[in-house]
Amino acid sequence: MSLVNSTAAPMPLSSLAQFDFQPRVRLIFDNGASMRTGELAREYGARHVLLVTDPGIVAAGHAGRIQSYLEAAGLDVTVFDKADQNPTTGTIDRCLEVARPHKIDFIIGLGGGSALDTAKGCNFILTNGGRIRDYWGTGKATKPMLPMFAIPTTAGTGSECQSYALIAEEKSHAKMACGDPKAAPKLAILDPELTLSQPRTVTACTGIDTITHAVESAVATKRNALSLMYAHEAFMLAVASFPQVLETPRDIQARGRMQLAAAFAGIAIENSMLGAAHSAANPLTAHYNVIHGKAVGIMLPHVIRFNAEDPIARRAYAELASAPELACVSEGEDYAVEMLVSRIEAFLNLAHIPRSLTECGVKESDLPMLAEEAARQWTANFNPRPVTQHDFILLYRAALEERPVT
Ligand SMILES: [Zn+2]
């Protein structure tokens, strides 16, 4: 429940965008739900399934179990188990090599966001031909695509609820967001038991990514009444559960709440987009191999303080902070924003994420190059305060020196 004081000024109507919402992804949330994968795939007409996963998920035993459920339902299964942490056009090519000799009519992505995005990327080319670059943008697939299930084993990207795949160019590592309503999974199986196998660093970095998704989608220029509902709920779930999954990793209730937070934040992004923390993070991943969750986490406090100079954004942050009662809007918007930043900084400390870009190997002399790339990121267009290349230099410098930016 929001604690917005009834005497506070209502949110200006102009800050809420129109929307056109069609739920695309069926969600099943239950401990052990993944055991139903075989029967559910049959229900959707599968005969020969391409199972896309990664070596860590194979080692954890999840891939073998899902394969056995599919085979027990009488389905043929071809496995691609080499999804990379940051999928590239090369990853997609290798996945296609495995898939093409078979009559694949169904795709299942099993793993973190990278496995799910690899499955989506492969689906584009298998069904519509060409190269990944051809699908960069929205709605470029003209032919039908194969039905897909998403079975996330992390609580992070929310890719299971999205129609976009993030695939990097093999050489430049520039990220291409390829989206099409047909690429959205038909069904996401949210089985919290699958997330118990995450190493602590994965839990920490994916959790920070989820929190950043909730925060950025709650203030993005495309936010609307519906995306806000999902962003606020995701934020409330994550605030309550993120410390628990780090302190007591086998707490299945907390794991379930984080998994829902990730999925709901994914729906919020699909309907609202992201902002400058993600724009600034992508070049850090491309040039210094900084893990995505770590990169967005380092940048987020600086981006919040920068955006909060804008009155409408400040109000949106204050309302987000009031959702899990970090602060009440009636206590003052500036205070609520500071409470939001300080809680995020506490989460970064819990996650053992460094607070300075210096610790990631970034040098002052690199900032103009990074800022030029950040300003070109698609997500920068949706930041609630206009953000220029010069602003990105200030944001990076603040993160380098770990001091607030104005
Ligand atoms: Zn992210």
Side-chain angles (χ1 to χ4, degrees):
M1 190 179 73
S2 170
L3 288 180
V4 178
N5 188 301
S6 60
T7 59
M11 179 186 281
L13 195 60
S14 60
S15 69
L16 281 181
Q18 62 197 88
F19 62 82
D20 178 344
F21 179 65
Q22 167 69 51
R24 296 194 182 99
V25 185
R26 175 183 172 192
L27 298 177
I28 294 182
F29 172 65
D30 194 9
N31 287 330
S34 60
M35 286 190 281
R36 294 175 54 200
T37 304
E39 63 171 273
L40 286 162
R42 270 178 67 99
E43 191 184 296
Y44 282 77
R47 279 177 298 186
H48 194 138
V49 177
L50 173 67
L51 179 62
V52 179
T53 189
D54 67 50
I57 299 305
V58 173
H62 299 319
R65 275 191 289 276
I66 296 296
Q67 183 173 359
S68 71
Y69 301 144
L70 292 166
E71 287 172 346
L75 307 178
D76 292 325
V77 183
T78 295
V79 180
F80 174 71
D81 60 7
K82 296 191 171 47
D84 302 312
Q85 195 172 54
N86 293 304
T88 65
T89 47
T91 317
I92 303 301
D93 289 343
R94 289 185 282 280
C95 186
L96 286 164
E97 262 176 47
V98 170
R100 277 198 167 121
H102 306 282
K103 283 191 175 171
I104 301 296
D105 60 12
F106 202 89
I107 299 183
I108 294 181
L110 168 71
S114 51
L116 306 190
D117 282 2
T118 301
K120 288 181 200 169
C122 187
N123 199 355
F124 274 112
I125 312 291
L126 266 185
T127 54
N128 279 260
R131 300 173 307 156
I132 278 293
R133 176 171 280 274
D134 301 332
Y135 304 97
W136 191 358
T138 308
K140 304 273 180 73
T142 54
K143 298 177 192 161
M145 294 176 68
L146 295 178
M148 175 186 156
F149 284 178
I151 311 179
T153 59
T154 64
T157 65
S159 177
E160 63 273 18
C161 291
Q162 292 167 10
S163 59
Y164 280 81
L166 274 184
I167 310 290
E169 193 71 73
E170 177 96 333
K171 289 197 181 108
S172 68
H173 290 273
K175 284 201 177 185
M176 297 178 281
C178 306
D180 194 292
K182 297 187 285 297
K186 296 284 178 216
L187 167 64
I189 299 177
L190 306 178
D191 181 349
E193 288 176 9
L194 296 183
T195 68
L196 293 174
S197 60
Q198 293 175 91
R200 189 188 194 276
T201 52
V202 174
T203 300
C205 288
T206 53
I208 291 293
D209 192 26
T210 289
I211 290 164
T212 309
H213 291 166
V215 173
E216 293 222 283
S217 60
V219 299
T221 53
K222 269 189 75 183
R223 72 189 183 282
N224 54 62
L226 186 123
S227 69
L228 273 179
M229 192 174 74
Y230 283 103
H232 283 198
E233 183 65 21
F235 190 63
M236 283 194 288
L237 286 162
V239 164
S241 305
F242 185 58
Q244 272 171 279
V245 292
L246 290 174
E247 283 156 22
T248 47
R250 302 221 40 102
D251 182 338
I252 195 75
Q253 302 290 330
R255 290 286 192 183
R257 285 193 293 271
M258 281 306 291
Q259 203 175 31
L260 284 182
F264 290 170
I267 298 173
I269 295 171
E270 182 83 1
N271 291 280
S272 160
M273 284 307 297
L274 291 161
H278 273 75
S279 313
N282 287 346
L284 297 173
T285 302
H287 295 284
Y288 305 98
N289 214 18
V290 183
I291 293 166
H292 177 73
K294 196 169 165 178
V296 293
I298 292 171
M299 297 309 301
L300 185 61
H302 304 289
V303 168
I304 293 175
R305 289 194 172 109
F306 169 82
N307 286 343
E309 293 294 311
D310 175 271
I312 293 177
R314 182 166 63 241
R315 174 82 189 182
Y317 284 128
E319 290 184 347
L320 179 70
S322 73
E325 305 178 21
L326 301 183
C328 178
V329 173
S330 62
E331 294 173 274
E333 292 175 2
D334 289 337
Y335 174 76
V337 171
E338 271 316 302
M339 288 298 100
L340 176 66
V341 172
S342 71
R343 183 61 64 100
I344 285 162
E345 288 175 335
F347 287 162
L348 293 173
N349 292 341
L350 267 182
H352 302 161
I353 285 181
R355 301 296 307 288
S356 167
L357 284 179
T358 310
E359 292 180 49
C360 303
V362 179
K363 297 181 192 67
E364 171 86 29
S365 57
D366 299 333
L367 300 193
M369 176 268 293
L370 293 171
E372 196 270 325
E373 288 187 24
R376 280 194 279 117
Q377 301 288 316
W378 191 39
T379 48
N381 299 329
F382 305 97
N383 195 60
R385 180 180 168 190
V387 55
T388 64
Q389 194 170 327
H390 177 68
D391 294 328
F392 275 113
I393 290 184
L394 297 181
L395 286 164
Y396 282 131
R397 190 168 290 140
L400 204 60
E401 298 167 3
E402 205 200 331
R403 61 165 175 73
V405 64
T406 53

